[in-house]
Amino acid sequence: MSNDNNKGGSNPVSAVRGVQGLQPYQPGKPIDELARELGLDPATIIKLASNENPLGPSAKALAAIQAELPELCRYPDGNGYELKQKLSLRLGVDPAQVTLGNGSNDILELVTRAFADSSAEVVYSQHAFAVYAIATQAIGATHVPVPAKDWGHDLEAMAAAINDKTRVVFVANPNNPTGTAISRDALDRFLNAVPAGVIVVLDEAYGEYIEDPDFPDGLQWVGRHPNLVVTRTFSKAWGLAALRVGYAISSPEVADILNRVRQPFNVSALGLAAASAVLDDEEYLQRSRETNRKGMQQLETGFKALGLSFIPSKGNFIAVDVGREAMPVYQGLLQEGVIVRPVGGYGMPNHLRVSIGLPEENRRFLEALGRVLERLEHT
Ligand SMILES: *Cc1c(COP(=O)(O)O)cnc(C)c1O
């Protein structure tokens, strides 16, 4: 039998226009992949590349998953009743304002699918989270990236970029990969400037890490702005990245629309159970914050000692300027068994994004970074 599988040119199947230009999202390198490539024991590898919680999952989440196992033959609760109840109590919103997602990435895509089409424009900042571009491209809409100011969102310029075709604006606070934050006043002015018919997604994936009382909590604006969608996730401070659970808080009208386009069982039963349980583990959240605060200080001190500048970050990661093209530094760190994230694809070729790890992981990373930079000096 002849094999025609590789004759790409003659294949009559083709993706729609938007998807043809789509580049797959580049995730952090998995530990097992590097272990295979270098012939290393995975246990010796440090991954500080995907802004995951270094503490491991909450014991309460693990117990809830265990309890759920006998029910795996059944479909999950497609309405996520218990999780929505808990979120609404915790956040002071109505359950009808909550939309659950398969990670908050799912919500970002639901928004573009529900509110934009190929004739629409979607506005987001330079150096912003990559999924905004992917969600825009996938529906064939027009990208309107707005130049950043001091690595952060220039909200005045973003408001000015809105026109009759604009359907969605993505704002990340704090932003990934820069860690930059938006002030309360700037956010308020921006939300007042955006026309009521344009959806604003305020992505607060790192919101639970924020300890600064002046940092704006997007939920405070949801009542006044029915076009506002605040997204959050269980992947970061709550430590459940593998289970893919995120959510949006919005007006009930917008939630109703998002719920129409989502898949009926978009969040798994294990995800629902673990997310509900972890919300009762306040101690875990406190520990996550404390580990992050101390680890951030450790990395900042280490970078200063190495003479490197960095972008002050409000997240659980920090972008460091390695003072040269970052890709060889990234490769050198891989050889040392340390995985971080190159961000050249975000227009930051001299930076590496490093997630905050445990004290020992941070120490090993800083030592490896020092060695790699030293070695590159001499080549
Ligand atoms: C990590 C992250 C997300 C969340 O991803 P999940 O799909 O919830 O795992 C969303 N937005 C930003 C800016 C992020 O960094």
Side-chain angles (χ1 to χ4, degrees), residues 51 102-106 108 129 132 172 174 176 203 205-206 232-236 241 244-246:
N51 301 347
N102 190 256
S104 56
N105 279 318
D106 189 23
L108 305 176
F129 187 44
Y132 309 151
N176 170 17
D203 181 341
Y206 302 94
R232 297 204 181 150
T233 181
F234 285 91
S235 299
K236 309 284 163 59
R244 318 301 307 123
V245 191

Side-chain angles (χ1 to χ4, degrees), residues 364-379:
R364 268 190 57 194
F365 156 69
L366 286 168
E367 285 175 6
L369 179 62
R371 279 194 298 274
V372 169
L373 289 173
E374 174 90 15
R375 233 182 282 138
L376 287 170
E377 286 274 288
H378 300 294
T379 53

Side-chain angles (χ1 to χ4, degrees), residues 53-62 65 238-240 278 281 284 287:
N53 194 318
L55 293 177
S58 144
K60 288 199 169 149
L62 293 180
I65 289 169
W238 291 115
L240 295 174
V278 83
D281 200 346
Y284 180 82
R287 219 153 27 96

Side-chain angles (χ1 to χ4, degrees), residues 5 12 21 57 79 81 142 145 150 185 205 256 261 292 305 343 350 357 359 379:
N5 286 348
N79 290 317
Y81 176 83
T142 300
D150 300 330
D185 285 351
D256 175 56
V261 290
N292 196 58
V343 283
N350 287 6
T379 53

Side-chain angles (χ1 to χ4, degrees), residues 310-326:
F310 53 85
I311 307 173
S313 170
K314 297 283 185 187
N316 67 346
F317 57 87
I318 183 165
V320 59
D321 183 345
V322 293
R324 55 173 352 272
E325 199 203 328

